[in-house]
Amino acid sequence: MDKIRVIGGRPLSGSVAVGGAKNAALPAMAASLLTQDRIELENVPRVRDILTMRNLLRDMGSRAEVSDDGTAVLQSSDIRSREAPYELVKTMRASILVLGPLLGRFKSARVSLPGGCAIGARPVNLHLMGLEKMGAECEIVHGYVEASVEKLRGARILMDTVTVTGTENIMMAATLAEGETILENAACEPEVSDLADMLRSMGARIEGDGCRTIRITGVGALHGCRHRIIPDRIEAGTFAIAAAITRGDVEIERCNPNHLAAVLEQLRRVGADVDSGKDRFRVRCGGTILSENVTTYPYPAFPTDMQAQYMALMTQGDGDSIITETIFENRFMHALELVRMGADITLEGRQALVRGNGPLSGARVLASDLRASASLVLAALVARGETWIDRVYHLDRGYDRIEEKLARLGAGIERVR
Ligand code: UD1
């Protein structure tokens, strides 16, 4: 199994290009199930989760090719199974995204329940509630959601918690329902809008994405399209923190700084210089890193997917900071590994008190989930000596060879096979 070896202490400099957003590419791939026509996606990142979604689509009978140049060609004209098996779903919770499209186009689906994961319970009750409001019958049998419907009908659906994939699932199902669906308290994440853009270019009628209320008017059928996936804001944010934590100077290219407004604002608060352009931004940090509190909330606030990386940064702050996680109940696994590197962090419920100023030292650490792994890499970049990060497959689920990109910026980092 691969490991990442990092020798800390080198400031990063230079420029780095961001890839396509994993969390936009996954629903886009699932949306290909909504039509029998060919779908072409561009800017698809070369990460493990994308291959899992490809395998899932192939398993159902879709033609699904993902090339190294970031193009995906998908066609679901010959679906033989409407099932997402446990073996695939257990490795990637986002597999639940096939439920809405399958139900919309084929009127039935059998999708394994994802079960628990390292960062919290992550139920799918709101996905099911929305589909039931549209007339579907959903039952849990042998660990699978079995859903069927004669005809999906538009409905008014109020989500009591903001859910990203829940919003995407219902939006996809509603594109082929009869009548209008009004989705209230919908997720406003850029990935939801990217999916809405793609669905519109397939012929769907959607308004209000990016806001709390989305209106979808069902159409008889959707057609093929070519769609370019938005840049990955979490990958961009991870490089931004890499620049700040190493007191470096890095230009982050081919991204959308507007999607990162809360993260860039937080970096300015902690003392980094951030210059933002249209599709790039530059982060410089020469002196003291100030300790500043942060709380995660749904978009456009500070994202939970940047919380672990920010915690690594706060271990280098000049004082105390409190990090509050409001989205997932158990998303502090990285804290315990950071403590093994010498960080001073106290956890209490959904809050972490991080005492800065302490030097970190290299250690053998374990990645527990995707963003936790990124936080360990960031900490290792400033730790004295050598850090070995194990269970790198978590990192590979969402980052396209992050070690190569960091090495090009001057980091002492390599993958050991
Ligand atoms: C998506 C992202 C993930 C990100 C998360 C929050 C993808 C593929 N993944 O995950 O990277 O961390 O958004 O920004 O896009 N909830 C319920 N019932 C439901 C659904 C969710 O109670 O039916 C709760 C969850 O437990 C959690 C909160 O809602 O507390 C938000 O979760 P959600 O937005 O659904 O996360 P995902 O869509 O799974």
Side-chain angles (χ1 to χ4, degrees):
M1 220 187 285
D2 292 4
K3 291 185 171 52
I4 300 264
R5 174 173 175 263
V6 185
I7 309 283
R10 301 184 192 165
L12 302 190
S13 69
S15 60
V16 60
V18 170
K22 164 182 88 74
N23 286 353
L26 291 172
M29 291 173 78
S32 69
L33 288 167
L34 286 164
T35 174
Q36 57 177 4
D37 294 352
R38 178 184 156 104
I39 298 284
E40 248 184 80
L41 301 175
E42 294 167 16
N43 206 28
V44 174
R46 283 174 298 185
V47 301
R48 190 76 227 158
D49 276 5
I50 295 296
L51 300 182
T52 305
M53 182 59 90
R54 180 202 62 187
N55 294 345
L56 178 56
L57 292 173
R58 281 183 181 169
D59 197 66
M60 293 190 282
S62 304
R63 208 187 116 207
E65 302 296 335
V66 182
S67 316
D68 268 356
D69 67 359
T71 329
V73 177
L74 313 155
Q75 188 154 17
S76 299
S77 45
D78 211 2
I79 291 293
R80 55 167 180 267
S81 144
R82 298 159 196 178
E83 176 169 321
Y86 179 63
E87 285 63 38
L88 288 167
V89 177
K90 74 177 182 201
T91 64
M92 184 184 71
R93 297 182 41 87
S95 310
I96 193 75
L97 283 166
V98 300
L99 178 62
L102 284 176
L103 201 58
R105 180 157 158 231
F106 302 103
K107 316 293 174 229
S108 74
R110 190 165 182 269
V111 178
S112 172
L113 269 180
C117 88
I119 65 176
R122 302 186 79 172
V124 293
N125 57 312
L126 296 170
H127 301 231
L128 304 189
M129 177 277 289
L131 297 171
E132 282 171 348
K133 281 251 154 101
M134 296 168 76
E137 280 182 31
C138 303
E139 253 192 301
I140 312 280
V141 187
H142 304 305
Y144 279 73
V145 177
E146 294 190 353
S148 62
V149 68
E150 241 170 63
K151 177 93 197 108
L152 280 178
R153 291 182 206 285
R156 192 175 198 111
I157 301 166
L158 170 67
M159 319 286 268
D160 59 16
T161 305
V162 175
T163 156
V164 178
T165 49
T167 299
E168 292 165 345
N169 240 336
I170 293 166
M171 197 164 76
M172 289 190 278
T175 58
L176 293 177
E178 193 177 275
E180 187 183 52
T181 299
I182 300 172
L183 195 48
E184 286 175 299
N185 201 26
C188 305
E189 269 67 2
E191 293 75 17
V192 173
S193 294
D194 194 44
L195 175 64
D197 281 341
M198 172 180 170
L199 293 169
R200 275 188 288 264
S201 58
M202 293 169 74
R205 290 176 58 197
I206 302 172
E207 284 168 28
D209 51 286
C211 305
R212 288 272 169 247
T213 303
I214 303 181
R215 287 172 186 270
I216 307 119
T217 307
V219 296
L222 296 178
H223 51 73
C225 77
R226 193 187 176 106
H227 175 76
R228 187 170 176 83
I229 300 294
I230 54 169
D232 197 308
R233 61 193 166 103
I234 306 302
E235 187 191 10
T238 303
F239 287 122
I241 293 196
I245 200 171
T246 62
R247 285 12 184 232
D249 178 354
V250 177
E251 176 106 3
I252 293 131
E253 300 177 335
R254 280 197 243 159
C255 61
N256 185 340
N258 290 334
H259 292 167
L260 277 159
V263 173
L264 299 187
E265 192 45 42
Q266 191 69 22
L267 282 171
R268 289 190 184 102
R269 265 186 223 140
V270 308
D273 262 333
V274 182
D275 295 325
S276 205
K278 186 168 165 281
D279 61 354
R280 59 184 61 216
F281 63 93
R282 180 177 177 187
V283 178
R284 277 172 292 179
C285 188
T288 306
I289 296 172
L290 307 173
S291 288
E292 288 285 337
N293 300 344
V294 87
T295 302
T296 64
Y297 286 115
Y299 190 83
F302 194 92
T304 174
D305 283 351
M306 285 299 300
Q307 179 260 106
Q309 300 89 316
Y310 184 76
M311 190 182 289
L313 180 64
M314 283 301 95
T315 66
Q316 303 305 296
D318 66 341
D320 295 354
S321 58
I322 294 171
I323 298 178
T324 308
E325 170 60 55
T326 74
I327 309 289
F328 293 113
E329 65 275 19
N330 188 26
R331 203 172 198 180
F332 283 141
M333 303 283 276
H334 45 281
L336 306 170
E337 295 300 297
L338 291 172
V339 166
R340 297 193 55 253
M341 298 175 72
D344 185 345
I345 303 171
T346 311
L347 298 180
E348 201 172 312
R350 292 190 169 215
Q351 292 196 314
L353 169 64
V354 187
R355 296 206 168 81
N357 258 331
L360 299 180
S361 59
R364 299 184 67 128
V365 288
L366 274 188
S368 57
D369 68 72
L370 170 54
R371 306 304 168 186
S373 331
S375 111
L376 298 177
V377 170
L378 293 170
L381 293 176
V382 283
R384 275 181 315 199
E386 196 175 85
T387 298
W388 286 88
I389 301 164
D390 210 339
R391 298 201 188 152
V392 173
Y393 52 85
H394 287 296
L395 200 60
D396 294 335
R397 282 190 44 214
Y399 290 93
D400 178 11
R401 291 167 296 184
I402 193 175
E403 74 283 2
E404 289 179 20
K405 291 187 178 182
L406 289 170
R408 280 199 290 274
L409 294 171
I413 183 167
E414 63 174 347
R415 180 181 294 253
V416 181
R417 292 185 193 276

